[in-house]
Amino acid sequence: KDSLSRSLVLNMFKNTGRFIGKALEDNRLIDLPFSLALIKLLLTVSSTNDVDSKNLLLDINDYQDIDASLFSSIKSIFSLRD
C-alpha cells in the first residue's frame, strides 16, 4: 500500500513538472502559488546546474512561508538554546 501511494505521489509530481515545463517552453503564464522556499530551491539548482546538497540548504526563515506554526515552534526552540 505504501509503495502504491508513493508511486502515485511521484507520478503526480512528474506530471506537474511536465505541465510546468511545457508552459515554460510555450512562454505561457500559469498561476501557481509556489512557496518562496521552493522558488529558492529551483533557482539554486538552475543556476548551478547540479544538485549539490550544500547549495540546497534552506534558511530557518524559509519555513515561515511553508508552515507558520512550525516556524514559530522552531524559533521558540532556538530561543531556548540561546
Side-chain angles (χ1 to χ4, degrees):
K1 183 178 177 180
D2 279 343
S3 177
L4 179 61
S5 61
R6 273 184 254 170
S7 177
L8 288 172
V9 170
L10 181 60
N11 197 22
M12 289 173 60
F13 274 104
K14 284 181 181 178
N15 287 330
T16 302
R18 288 182 184 127
F19 172 75
I20 294 168
K22 184 62 176 161
L24 290 171
E25 182 181 64
D26 294 344
N27 289 321
R28 295 187 182 267
L29 294 177
I30 51 176
D31 187 19
L32 292 175
F34 290 131
S35 69
L36 292 177
L38 177 62
I39 293 171
K40 181 178 175 181
L41 290 175
L42 292 173
L43 290 175
T44 302
V45 171
S46 68
S47 67
T48 60
N49 281 335
D50 66 27
V51 187
D52 182 14
S53 62
K54 288 181 268 181
N55 292 330
L56 297 179
L57 295 178
L58 294 176
D59 185 72
I60 185 69
N61 295 315
D62 293 321
Y63 290 95
Q64 186 172 13
D65 294 325
I66 299 170
D67 187 339
S69 63
L70 175 65
F71 173 74
S72 177
S73 298
I74 291 172
K75 289 292 272 190
S76 297
I77 292 170
F78 280 157
S79 70
L80 293 174
R81 182 183 68 176
D82 298 335

